[in-house]
Amino acid sequence: MARQPNRKPNHNGLSSKTSNHPTLFSGCLTPMTQNVLLLHGLHMTALVMKPLGKRLAAHGFTPHYFSYPTTQGSLKSHAIALARHIQRNHILPTHFVAHSLGGLLLRHLAAIHPELLQALAVTLGSPHQGSQTAQRVRQIMPRVLGDSWQNALDGSLPNQPLPIECGSIAGTVSSGLGLLVTQFAEPNDGTVALAETALPNSQQLIVPCSHSGLLFDSEVALQVAYFLQHGRFKGTAA
């Protein structure tokens, strides 16, 4: 008789499948999967993640997408919706690739449903330490940020580390709308400062890209794919 995959219940009535085919990444057992769920950033939709998803598909991955109203509702509420989306579409286990605010959404998902994080994750230009650009925008035009400020762009995120291996890619080409409101005194991608992308217990890769350019750069896509395949960035020590 075929062995049925284990399911783990959680407090929101969701269940998760546990892979029977683990592989070893950086000393941790991680389920093998070709699924990758892409999460967009502020004032965007899943459409902006399609070019990166297409490039990842060329490396053998199966891209999945999730849209959420970035300025309406808390990130915690969006994380609950994301958990339901993952379960409803039966894409466990899955890797995660998150741009900007999407990386903070992933942090909230990890806080309320850590059992759904079973593979690997890469964040792109996510302000894990808060965003000075968002702080400035909030002072001038608070409606632009809506609900994305509190417990998100303000830096007050869940304290627990991600339960999976994670890579953080940050850009250093200072070009973008953020420069209209922020005068950076340190390396930045035009929207987020390099120091703001720091994520404890993660691997960081610095690339010559702007904030939005991270989504469309072929070398970034290659590095994301490599990380999801090997648990580290290309050209770094194993």
Side-chain angles (χ1 to χ4, degrees):
M1 181 178 296
R3 182 180 178 183
Q4 296 297 315
N6 297 323
R7 293 180 180 269
K8 299 180 181 179
N10 59 62
H11 61 273
N12 275 340
L14 301 176
S15 63
S16 62
K17 294 182 180 179
T18 301
S19 170
N20 294 320
H21 305 286
T23 187
L24 189 64
F25 283 129
S26 302
C28 300
L29 285 174
T30 302
M32 295 176 65
T33 181
Q34 298 306 112
N35 291 324
V36 56
L37 181 54
L38 294 96
L39 305 175
H40 63 83
L42 184 65
H43 291 298
M44 298 295 172
T45 69
L47 286 176
V48 77
M49 305 302 291
K50 295 281 186 175
L52 178 55
K54 184 176 180 180
R55 282 188 162 124
L56 293 178
H59 288 275
F61 292 98
T62 302
H64 302 268
Y65 305 91
F66 175 74
S67 283
Y68 60 104
T70 60
T71 62
Q72 300 174 21
S74 68
L75 275 194
K76 182 177 180 179
S77 68
H78 296 323
I80 293 171
L82 174 58
R84 292 171 178 163
H85 174 84
I86 291 170
Q87 291 288 91
R88 185 170 58 249
N89 290 281
H90 307 291
I91 60 174
L92 282 175
T94 183
H95 300 298
F96 293 89
V97 176
H99 180 244
S100 198
L101 186 68
L104 311 189
L105 173 60
L106 182 60
R107 298 272 300 275
H108 278 273
L109 178 68
I112 63 175
H113 285 293
E115 76 283 356
L116 297 183
L117 280 75
Q118 301 175 6
L120 301 175
V122 178
T123 63
L124 308 172
S126 293
H128 294 288
Q129 302 301 316
S131 168
Q132 58 186 295
T133 298
Q135 183 178 27
R136 181 60 176 153
V137 169
R138 183 170 179 264
Q139 294 170 347
I140 303 172
M141 301 170 289
R143 291 187 179 181
V144 171
L145 297 180
D147 296 324
S148 68
W149 171 252
Q150 189 171 4
N151 298 318
L153 294 173
D154 64 350
S156 57
L157 292 157
N159 290 325
Q160 57 265 53
L162 292 177
I164 56 176
E165 193 76 27
C166 183
S168 171
I169 300 181
T172 56
V173 173
S174 186
S175 174
L177 293 177
L179 298 178
L180 296 177
V181 296
T182 307
Q183 297 296 319
F184 290 99
E186 58 189 303
N188 63 87
D189 64 9
T191 300
V192 176
L194 180 60
E196 293 171 341
T197 66
L199 177 63
N201 304 314
S202 71
Q203 302 176 43
Q204 187 173 54
L205 180 70
I206 301 172
V207 297
C209 285
S210 66
H211 191 67
S212 59
L214 290 166
L215 293 176
F216 307 105
D217 187 83
S218 60
E219 181 63 24
V220 169
L222 175 64
Q223 287 285 2
V224 170
Y226 194 91
F227 188 94
L228 299 183
Q229 292 166 339
H230 302 281
R232 62 182 177 86
F233 291 118
K234 187 176 183 180
T236 60

